[in-house]
Amino acid sequence: IFYDAGVDVYENYVLGRLKITEGGIRNRDRWVIERCVTEGIPVAGVIGGGYDKDVEALARRHAIIHEEAAFVWRKHKLWQK
């Protein structure tokens, strides 16, 4: 799966209109990665969207996919496989 973990869905992004919190984005990303791993489906994730003048806030939202991938990697001890 080629997973576009875009953050246009963020609640304060005026063009997104989906009103998802950072926690909601985190839950979405973890769910997608977890499903791929448990089903044995290779996944590649990329970031995008959600442009913000607050660059640190945008970077924090873009980092969520990487943090969740690391969480799932540790949870399933993927370095041993």
Side-chain angles (χ1 to χ4, degrees), residues 2-71:
F2 187 77
Y3 175 48
D4 182 352
V7 295
D8 290 347
V9 298
Y10 179 60
E11 63 185 342
N12 293 329
Y13 183 57
V14 295
L15 300 177
R17 300 183 184 185
L18 289 177
K19 308 296 182 197
I20 308 295
T21 64
E22 285 186 19
I25 293 170
R26 183 173 300 284
N27 291 339
R28 174 201 67 182
D29 290 351
R30 184 178 296 183
W31 184 86
V32 169
I33 296 167
E34 183 75 34
R35 292 291 300 172
C36 289
V37 168
T38 59
E39 297 296 326
I41 301 169
V43 60
V46 296
I47 60 171
Y51 307 108
D52 194 326
K53 290 181 180 181
D54 184 344
V55 178
E56 288 183 18
L58 177 60
R60 185 178 59 247
R61 290 190 292 276
H62 280 167
I64 292 171
I65 181 68
H66 304 290
E67 294 164 355
E68 292 309 312
F71 174 86

